Amino acid sequence: MTAMLPKGAAMPIALNVNGEDRITLSDPLTPLVDVLRDALFLTGAKAVCREGICGACTVMMDGKPVMSCLVPVGIAAGHDIRTAEALSGEGEPSPLQRAMLDHDVVQCGMCFPGMMVTLTDFLEHTPEPTREEIKAALVGNICRCTGYERLIDAVLAFAHRD
Ligand code: FES
Ligand code: FES
């Protein structure tokens, strides 16, 4: 007979986050965003809607953007997880982040780490996007305070910086 864990019981779960092996003691059903924030202190991903709608919790899993509020940490085990914290090197903004700063894009910042994960992935696949393509790429990332026009201007400036 297989031993069953009581519902909600914590167990050691091995994760690879931003290239580092990490062990967390968690209920496997805990949303990945909560483990990233509360156990690993990677607070870039934000739990805002918790319904897969706003995109504030976006991280990369095996090279694809996922809503980490919808991914149980037990499912994330053994996969390559990259968070917004991995986007800048040595504490310096990445060139895309620099373009955002130059265009004064961020207000409260709740949406922004998720935006940056989505845009970084998008620009890898679409290095010279049109305004319409950028809008389409951001359909799953909601910004409630700054809006999108300056953000799109920043992405275009980054993409056509040479
Ligand atoms: S918190 Fe995950 S999509 Fe909104
Ligand atoms: S900067 Fe506040 S939600 Fe986007």
Side-chain angles (χ1 to χ4, degrees):
M1 194 168 111
T2 309
M4 302 260 309
L5 279 173
K7 192 173 176 198
M11 58 184 289
I13 295 174
L15 296 171
N16 188 282
V17 183
N18 299 337
E20 286 184 25
D21 292 325
R22 309 289 296 266
I23 302 284
T24 176
L25 195 62
S26 302
D27 175 348
L29 294 178
T30 304
L32 175 60
V33 65
D34 292 329
V35 172
L36 291 173
R37 291 178 58 81
D38 300 339
L40 304 184
F41 306 113
L42 294 166
T43 54
K46 308 282 189 280
V48 177
C49 71
R50 294 185 173 276
E51 293 182 346
I53 294 170
C54 74
C57 65
T58 306
V59 301
M60 301 293 285
M61 188 159 102
D62 295 338
K64 295 195 177 68
V66 296
M67 310 290 186
S68 60
C69 67
L70 300 183
V71 179
V73 68
I75 297 291
H79 295 273
D80 177 30
I81 308 297
R82 303 268 161 176
T83 69
E85 283 84 353
L87 296 179
S88 52
E90 309 285 325
E92 290 296 316
S94 69
L96 179 59
Q97 289 168 328
R98 173 57 60 194
M100 300 293 164
L101 288 170
D102 291 346
H103 285 77
D104 208 11
V105 164
V106 188
Q107 289 192 51
C108 78
M110 286 298 278
C111 67
F112 205 63
M115 290 268 189
M116 292 303 297
V117 172
T118 296
L119 285 169
T120 300
D121 175 63
F122 165 68
L123 287 163
E124 275 175 20
H125 299 101
T126 315
E128 295 189 3
T130 64
R131 200 166 191 90
E132 291 310 310
E133 286 173 326
I134 299 166
K135 283 185 190 175
L138 289 173
V139 74
N141 291 81
I142 295 172
C143 178
R144 295 164 180 82
C145 52
T146 307
Y148 295 86
E149 292 305 313
R150 279 183 285 171
L151 175 63
I152 294 168
D153 289 344
V155 176
L156 286 169
F158 166 80
H160 301 287
R161 64 194 181 284
D162 294 328

